């Protein structure tokens, strides 16, 4: 279970990095203001999800001791 969560977290972090790079290169000409705002919200949701995964991994590791 821990390995599965760690793999999921690794994939999620890679996607977050790609999204961050994409957002840093965008401007109002390439994306509508609404799309830009939605992508920013998506990034925040991904960050929150990553935090939860980290907490789950930590909890499972502590329980296994």
């Amino acid at each position: 279970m821990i390995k599965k969560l760690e793999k999921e977290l690794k994939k999620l972090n890679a996607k977050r990095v790609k999204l961050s790079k994409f957002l840093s290169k965008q401007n109002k000409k390439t994306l509508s203001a609404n799309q830009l705002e939605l992508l920013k919200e998506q990034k925040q949701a991904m960050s929150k999800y990553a935090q939860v995964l980290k907490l789950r991994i930590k909890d499972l590791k502590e329980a296994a001791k």
Side-chain angles (χ1 to χ4, degrees), residues 21-36 39:
K21 288 179 181 178
F22 177 79
L23 286 172
S24 70
K25 295 178 182 176
Q26 298 309 303
N27 58 43
K28 292 179 182 178
K29 294 179 183 178
T30 55
L31 287 175
S32 69
N34 190 47
Q35 282 294 313
L36 193 58
L39 284 171

Side-chain angles (χ1 to χ4, degrees), residues 8-19:
E8 185 176 349
L9 180 59
K10 185 177 179 180
K11 286 182 178 181
L12 178 61
N13 284 333
K15 289 179 181 182
R16 285 172 53 207
V17 168
K18 287 181 183 180
L19 180 55

Side-chain angles (χ1 to χ4, degrees), residues 2 7 10 12 16-18 20 22 29 31 33 35 40 46 51-52 54 57 59 61 65:
I2 293 172
K7 185 177 179 182
K10 185 177 179 180
L12 178 61
R16 285 172 53 207
V17 168
K18 287 181 183 180
S20 291
F22 177 79
K29 294 179 183 178
L31 287 175
Q35 282 294 313
K40 288 178 183 177
M46 291 168 83
Q51 288 175 345
V52 171
K54 287 177 189 175
I57 291 166
D59 182 65
K61 285 182 176 179
K65 289 181 181 178

